Amino acid sequence: MSEHEYTPKSKVGKWFNDRLPLLTLANHLTDYPTPKNLNYWWTFGGILTFCLITQIVTGLVLAMHYIAHADMAFDSVEHIMRDVNYGWLIRYIHANGASMFFLAVYIHIFRSLFYGSYKSPREIIWIIGIIIYLLMMAAAFMGYVLPWGQMSFWGATVITNLFSAIPLVGEGIVTWLWGGYSVDNPTLTRFFTLHYLIPFLILGLVVLHIWALHVPGNNNPVGIDIKKPSKDTVPFHPYIVIKDGFALLMFMIVFAFFVFYTPNILGHADNYIEADPLVTPAHIVPEWYLLPFYAILRSVPDKLLGVVAMLSAILILAALPWLDTSKTRSAVFRPLYKQFYWILVADVLILGYVGAMPAEGLYLLVARVATAYYFLHFLLILPVLGLKEKTLPIPLSITDPVLGGSSNFSTAKNQTKIE
Amino acid sequence: MSEKKTNRRDFLFTATYAVGAVGVGATIWPMIDQMNPDASVKALASTEVDVSSVDRGKTITVLWRGKPVFIRRRTQEEIAEAKSVKLEDLKDPQKDEDRAKDPEWLVMLGVCTHLGCVPLDQKGDYNGWFCPCHGSHYDISGRIRKGPAPTNMEIPKYEFVNANTIKIG
Amino acid sequence: MKFFFRVLLLFTLIIGFQYNSYAAEKVEYLKTDWSFKGLFGKFDRGALQRGYQVYTEVCSSCHSMKYLSYRNLAEKGGPEFSEEQAKAIAASFEVKDGPNEDGEMFNRPGKLSDKFVMPYENIKAAQAANGGAYPPDMSVLVKARGGGVDYIYSLLQGYEDPPAGITLDDGVYYNKYMYGNKIKMANQLSDGLVTYGDGTNATVQQMSKDVTTFLMWAAEPHLESRHKMGFKAITYLIILTILVYFSMKKIWSRIETEV
C-alpha cells in the first residue's frame, strides 16, 4: 500500500500502530500522491462521498420518526413535516439529496467516459462503480415508495411488474416480491428494510472503490501514467482536500437552493396524494434520474425485450473497458471519440426528455432512434473507433510538454529509450 | 516581508476553519433537536381530571405525559399524620403544606425517585407507598422515609379549575 | 468557474424538460401576486385568517383537513391567531373523545391539541354523501396538484356554462381549469358569501385568494422559517466558499499550477 514505511513519532502512537495500523492508513490517505492537473470534474468523487453520508445521516433521523405501515406511512411523513423539530428540513434534504446524489453520479460517470478512466488498469474501480450505481437506483426507487403516495404506490406496482416479463416464473417472482397479490403493507415493510440496508452496502463498496483507486492511483486529464510521487503529483492533503472542499461548497449552494426554495420541484405532485389502489394517476413518471432507462424500456414494443433492453443499457457499461479498444485514454487526444462522446451525452439527454413524455407518436419514434443509437455507440462505434481512429500525439509527462508519451507507462519509457 | 505574509495566511486559514466549524455546529443542531419532544407531544402537556367521584381514603391514578399521577383524597387522620412528622426525621425535608395545596388532595407523580418504578399504594412501613423494585418506603405525603430513593416523590404543576376538576400541567 | 455554470445550466435544462413535460396539457391559469413567493416570501396574516374563515364557513362542510390541529392556528408563521382566539375556535367544535370509565365515547369541546374535526367519519361516508366523489382532504392539497396555488385559485373561479355540445350528468359541473373540465363540486363561492371581520370586501376573487393562501400555509406550515433559514444558509455558504477559495489559492500558490 505504501512505498515508504511510516513510523509514528510518539511512543504511544507506535505502540498502537504496531497493533492496528490506523495511523499508517491515515498517513497513506493524507500523503496519497495525486496528479496535480486534476480538473474540477474530478471533485465529484468527494462530492459523492458527501452525498452518501448526508443521505445516511438524514435517513437515520427520518427512520426514527417514520412508520413503515401502509395505513400510517403517509401520516407519519406529514407528522415529520409538521411536528418533528426541523423534520421538514431533514426530509427535504433527504428527498432532494437523492436528486443531488444522482446529478453528481452522472457527472462522475460521464467524466470517466470522457477521460477513459475505466480503461486498464482501472477496470475493477469502474465495475464496482457500476454496482454502486445499480444499488443507488434500487435504494432511490425503494425510498420513493416509502411516503406511500400515489406515485410511490404506482411506481412500485409498475417496476415490480417488470419481473413478470420473465417467462414461466415471472408471475411467481412478482407475488413473492409483493408478499401478496398486490403492492401492499408487506411490500412496504420489506422495501423499508432494504432501503435501510442498501446505503450501508454502498458504503462498503465505496471503500472498495477507493481502495481499488489507490492501487494504480488517479487517472488525469492527460490520461498518461505518471510516476508517483513525482513532480507531477501533489499530496492529497492539503491540495486536493481544499480543492474538493471548494467544489463541494459550490455544490452545496445549489443543493441548499433546492432544499430551501424549491423543495418539491423535483418530485411529483401526485405523491402528495395518499396511495389509492383503485385509481392510477394520469401520467406515471419515474424520478428524473431514471427517465433515460424508462424511455428505453418503453421504446421496445415487447414486454420481455423491453426489460432486457433496459437492463442491458446499464449492464453494457460494465463491459465498457473491453468494448473500448483504444489504447489512448483521454478524449483530449481522440478528436473523433470526442465528437461521439458529446453525441452520446445528447442522446442520453434526449432519452431523458422523451422518457418524461407520453409514449406515443413522435416521442416514441425519437425514443426508438435514441435507444438504437445508445447501443450502437457502445457495441459498434467504440470498438471500431479504437482501431481506426488516428489519435493526437501525447505528452510524456504532465509537466513536460515533450511529446511521445503513451497511456501505458512502460511503453512510454521504452519509447524514450528508443529515441 | 515574509513574516507579514505568514501572518496573513494564518489569519485566512484560521478564519476559514472558524467559519467552517460554525457551519458544522449549526448543521448538527437540527439532527440533535429532532429527538426532543415534537410539537404534537408538547401540545398534550396538560390534562384535566374529574375528581368528583373519588372517596376519602382512595387514590386514583391518571396518565399524564405518559407517567402515572396519583391523586389521593386523604382522610383527616392521614392529614394529621402527615403534618405531625418532624422535619428532622426526613431524608428530604419538606412540609406537608408545601406538597398539598389543599390538604385533602395529594397530587403527586407516581414515580419512585430511585429508578423510576411505580410504587404500590398503602404499602410499606409508613402507611403511604412502597416501591417494590428496590424497597423505598414513602409516607402519606409521598416523602421518602426509608430505602434507596434520594428524594420525595415529585409534585407536578397542577391547579383546581373548580371544586371537582384538577388540571395537571 | 465557467465549469460550474455549465453544470448548473445542464441541470436547469434537465429540470426544464421535466417541468415542461408536466405542463404539456396545461391551460393558462389565472395569475395573482402571492406574498409567499420569492426568497423572502411570507404569508399575509390577514389573508390567512380570512382564508381560515372561508375554509370553516364554506369548505369544511365537505373537505377535511386531517393533518392540522387547532394549535397550529396560533403558531408562528401561520394565521397567528392569539392563544385565546385559537382556544375559543377549538372550543367551538365538538370533539369525539373516549372511551370514558364506562367504556363509552362522548363529545366534549375541542382543545388546542385536537386535530381539525372531520366532516365525515371516513372516506366511504364522504363518498356516500357526495354522489360517489370523495372531497379530497385539503391539508396538502396545494402540493398534490401540479398547478399548485395558481390551479386552486383558478379552479375556484373557473365555473362556466358548458360550451355547446357538452352535456353534463346530474351533479357534474363545468370548470375550465379542471382536468377534463368536469367537476363534481358545484360552484361554492359567490360575492358576499362570507362577512369578513376585518371589513375586506368578500368578492369571489378575494375569497379564492384568501382560501388558497390558507391552503398553501396548511400544506407548508414551515414555509416562512424555511425561507428565513434558506437565506441564512446560502449567505453562510457563500462566505465560506469565498474563504475556502482564497485559502485554496494560497495553498496552491506553493506549487506553480493553476487551480
Side-chain angles (χ1 to χ4, degrees):
Chain A
M1 203 148 90
S2 57
E3 292 172 9
H4 55 104
E5 270 311 307
Y6 168 76
T7 330
K9 286 189 188 79
S10 78
K11 255 191 173 161
V12 181
K14 193 178 174 313
W15 179 88
F16 182 85
N17 202 50
D18 286 344
R19 283 148 185 84
L20 180 68
L22 270 188
L23 294 169
T24 306
L25 177 67
N27 178 261
H28 163 79
L29 292 176
T30 48
D31 282 0
Y32 172 65
T34 320
K36 65 181 184 184
N37 63 337
L38 294 188
N39 57 32
Y40 280 105
W41 298 111
W42 259 268
T43 59
F44 281 87
I47 288 171
L48 282 162
T49 313
F50 163 81
C51 287
L52 179 62
I53 290 166
T54 305
Q55 291 304 86
I56 288 180
V57 170
T58 53
L60 280 173
V61 169
L62 290 173
M64 293 183 194
H65 304 281
Y66 171 78
I67 302 168
H69 187 285
D71 295 339
M72 286 178 278
F74 195 86
D75 292 6
S76 71
V77 172
E78 277 306 311
H79 169 67
I80 292 169
M81 292 296 290
R82 287 161 196 277
D83 293 335
V84 173
N85 305 321
Y86 297 104
W88 59 269
L89 173 67
I90 294 161
R91 173 166 179 256
Y92 277 154
I93 291 177
H94 196 72
N96 286 286
S99 280
M100 301 313 288
F101 205 153
F102 275 95
L103 170 70
V105 93
Y106 282 127
I107 294 174
H108 195 61
I109 291 172
F110 274 101
R111 187 269 290 153
S112 188
L113 289 179
F114 189 84
Y115 294 109
S117 302
Y118 49 85
K119 288 182 196 179
S120 170
R122 297 184 180 83
E123 300 95 323
I124 298 293
I125 312 174
W126 173 254
I127 287 168
I128 292 173
I130 298 295
I131 299 170
I132 291 174
Y133 174 52
L134 276 170
L135 285 175
M136 275 175 65
M137 287 201 274
F141 158 67
M142 290 180 193
Y144 197 58
V145 174
L146 302 185
W148 210 240
Q150 275 287 67
M151 275 295 160
S152 304
F153 183 88
W154 293 100
T157 303
V158 169
I159 300 295
T160 46
N161 261 315
L162 291 180
F163 291 91
S164 70
I166 303 168
L168 299 174
V169 291
E171 290 294 336
I173 289 178
V174 174
T175 312
W176 174 75
L177 282 174
W178 288 339
Y181 301 103
S182 67
V183 173
D184 207 340
N185 195 49
T187 328
L188 177 62
T189 47
R190 67 192 57 179
F191 277 17
F192 177 60
T193 311
L194 294 172
H195 181 72
Y196 205 122
L197 167 73
I198 291 175
F200 296 98
L201 297 181
I202 293 178
L203 190 64
L205 284 166
V206 165
V207 171
L208 295 184
H209 193 65
I210 295 172
W211 187 3
L213 168 72
H214 280 227
V215 175
N218 285 71
N219 183 26
N220 63 78
V222 181
I224 53 169
D225 282 331
I226 48 174
K227 221 201 259 171
K228 292 173 290 272
S230 72
K231 63 184 189 307
D232 286 345
T233 67
V234 289
F236 191 75
H237 181 77
Y239 295 96
I240 304 299
V241 169
I242 189 101
K243 193 171 169 180
D244 278 1
F246 172 66
L248 174 62
L249 281 164
M250 299 287 281
F251 182 81
M252 282 166 80
I253 291 173
V254 179
F255 194 164
F257 189 83
F258 277 102
V259 168
F260 290 109
Y261 291 108
T262 58
N264 291 308
I265 200 169
L266 297 169
H268 196 291
D270 278 340
N271 225 25
Y272 278 105
I273 304 172
E274 200 169 349
D276 182 351
L278 300 177
V279 185
T280 308
H283 300 289
I284 297 192
V285 203
E287 295 282 79
W288 68 267
Y289 40 80
L290 301 177
L291 286 173
F293 300 105
Y294 193 57
I296 292 175
L297 170 76
R298 295 192 307 181
S299 68
V300 183
D302 182 81
K303 187 174 174 181
L304 177 60
L305 290 181
V307 178
V308 169
M310 184 178 72
L311 283 178
S312 319
I314 305 165
L315 294 178
I316 202 169
L317 293 172
L320 187 59
W322 297 277
L323 288 172
D324 185 352
T325 50
S326 175
K327 291 275 173 283
T328 308
R329 288 199 191 99
S330 174
V332 173
F333 305 103
R334 298 182 62 189
L336 269 178
Y337 172 73
K338 205 196 260 179
Q339 288 174 28
F340 283 111
Y341 171 85
W342 287 113
I343 294 172
L344 179 74
V345 173
D347 187 61
V348 172
L349 287 178
I350 289 167
L351 278 172
Y353 176 69
V354 293
M357 293 294 150
E360 56 202 23
L362 186 64
Y363 293 129
L364 191 57
L365 182 73
V366 173
R368 286 185 176 154
V369 173
T371 301
Y373 182 80
Y374 181 89
F375 287 104
L376 193 75
H377 175 91
F378 289 107
L379 293 176
L380 191 69
I381 295 174
L382 280 190
V384 174
L385 205 60
L387 302 174
K388 300 275 177 205
E389 186 178 26
K390 193 167 157 35
T391 55
L392 303 176
I394 299 171
L396 258 180
S397 87
I398 292 172
T399 13
D400 300 327
V402 184
L403 299 177
S406 152
S407 52
N408 189 313
F409 188 56
S410 49
T411 337
K413 259 199 307 200
N414 289 342
Q415 276 183 357
T416 31
K417 256 184 209 161
I418 294 161
E419 278 162 23
Chain B
M1 206 39 202
S2 71
E3 187 87 306
K4 223 176 171 180
K5 228 178 167 181
T6 320
N7 281 341
R8 206 193 118 210
R9 195 184 69 186
D10 284 348
F11 172 73
L12 179 63
F13 290 165
T14 314
T16 310
Y17 276 127
V19 174
V22 169
V24 171
T27 316
I28 287 174
W29 173 243
M31 305 296 158
I32 294 169
D33 192 36
Q34 53 88 16
M35 281 169 54
N36 278 320
D38 66 46
S40 61
V41 173
K42 282 183 201 148
L44 292 172
S46 74
T47 182
E48 288 184 5
V49 188
D50 178 9
V51 293
S52 56
S53 58
V54 182
D55 294 329
R56 280 181 180 275
K58 293 281 178 220
T59 305
I60 59 163
T61 306
V62 294
L63 199 66
W64 175 67
R65 288 184 172 176
K67 287 178 189 159
V69 170
F70 296 154
I71 301 177
R72 181 167 181 86
R73 190 169 185 185
R74 300 189 293 188
T75 60
Q76 287 307 326
E77 301 84 74
E78 287 174 342
I79 297 170
E81 188 191 328
K83 288 192 194 273
S84 68
V85 179
K86 288 191 200 119
L87 286 185
E88 304 91 86
D89 298 343
L90 296 172
K91 194 172 181 181
D92 178 16
Q94 206 177 14
K95 281 189 206 155
D96 187 59
E97 294 88 87
D98 296 337
R99 293 180 57 79
K101 286 179 191 168
D102 176 348
E104 198 177 317
W105 295 98
L106 176 67
V107 180
M108 170 174 80
L109 211 55
V111 177
C112 179
T113 54
H114 181 219
L115 290 169
C117 297
V118 178
L120 303 170
D121 194 23
Q122 292 191 299
K123 287 266 162 62
D125 300 352
Y126 297 87
N127 284 327
W129 285 267
F130 170 70
C131 181
C133 291
H134 305 94
S136 292
H137 299 257
Y138 296 88
D139 66 13
I140 195 62
S141 187
R143 292 171 295 199
I144 179 67
R145 301 298 288 272
K146 202 167 102 183
T151 56
N152 304 331
M153 277 196 267
E154 198 185 323
I155 304 293
K157 197 181 133 212
Y158 70 94
E159 58 181 290
F160 287 88
V161 180
N162 54 49
N164 289 329
T165 315
I166 297 175
K167 183 184 170 197
I168 306 169
Chain C
M1 217 47 45
K2 216 168 80 190
F3 153 81
F4 282 105
F5 289 114
R6 257 190 250 159
V7 175
L8 205 61
L9 188 73
L10 195 77
F11 199 37
T12 324
L13 277 177
I14 298 173
I15 294 162
F17 277 149
Q18 212 197 4
Y19 210 52
N20 269 334
S21 67
Y22 300 145
E25 296 166 45
K26 196 154 63 178
V27 279
E28 259 319 292
Y29 293 131
L30 298 174
K31 294 273 181 258
T32 187
D33 52 322
W34 300 109
S35 63
F36 48 80
K37 292 258 158 106
L39 295 195
F40 304 100
K42 278 186 177 157
F43 290 113
D44 171 355
R45 304 285 158 233
L48 284 180
Q49 298 198 354
R50 291 192 300 272
Y52 172 69
Q53 190 185 344
V54 177
Y55 167 72
T56 355
E57 292 181 19
V58 186
C59 323
S60 71
S61 55
C62 297
H63 291 276
S64 58
M65 277 188 120
K66 59 178 176 177
Y67 297 120
L68 272 81
S69 304
Y70 295 111
R71 66 184 158 83
N72 297 137
L73 294 172
E75 275 166 10
K76 226 174 153 284
E80 297 190 2
F81 285 107
S82 69
E83 181 114 358
E84 281 66 44
Q85 283 173 314
K87 272 185 181 159
I89 289 171
S92 69
F93 292 92
E94 288 259 288
V95 175
K96 198 179 207 180
D97 200 351
N100 59 15
E101 288 93 81
D102 304 324
E104 277 157 20
M105 304 302 280
F106 59 94
N107 283 332
R108 59 161 175 79
K111 293 191 283 191
L112 283 182
S113 56
D114 287 319
K115 298 262 186 216
F116 276 23
V117 174
M118 304 224 273
Y120 304 103
E121 287 268 304
N122 50 53
I123 292 183
K124 284 269 186 281
Q127 283 172 330
N130 289 282
Y134 165 59
D137 183 89
M138 301 219 289
S139 319
V140 282
L141 192 68
V142 166
K143 290 198 281 188
R145 296 292 179 274
V149 278
D150 292 329
Y151 168 74
I152 307 279
Y153 176 71
S154 306
L155 184 93
L156 288 170
Q157 305 173 60
Y159 285 90
E160 278 179 354
D161 289 331
I166 293 186
T167 47
L168 298 171
D169 293 340
D170 234 19
V172 178
Y173 307 88
Y174 186 86
N175 189 307
K176 73 175 166 173
Y177 299 106
M178 179 76 183
Y179 182 70
N181 297 119
K182 289 179 183 173
I183 185 167
K184 287 208 166 180
M185 176 175 81
N187 189 6
Q188 298 295 329
L189 299 178
S190 58
D191 288 338
L193 182 68
V194 301
T195 313
Y196 282 140
D198 62 0
T200 309
N201 190 9
T203 59
V204 168
Q205 193 204 357
Q206 183 67 41
M207 286 186 285
S208 306
K209 189 173 175 182
D210 291 343
V211 81
T212 309
T213 308
F214 176 71
L215 291 180
M216 181 65 201
W217 165 75
E220 277 290 308
H222 297 292
L223 178 135
E224 287 190 10
S225 35
R226 174 155 63 76
H227 284 177
K228 252 186 245 162
M229 197 190 287
F231 180 72
K232 281 187 215 157
I234 291 176
T235 311
Y236 166 81
L237 283 172
I238 290 172
I239 292 171
L240 184 60
T241 309
I242 292 168
L243 281 172
V244 168
Y245 177 76
F246 284 111
S247 300
M248 176 176 76
K249 283 282 174 199
K250 201 82 210 170
I251 289 171
W252 278 78
S253 69
R254 294 173 197 167
I255 54 166
E256 284 142 43
T257 303
E258 280 282 307
V259 199

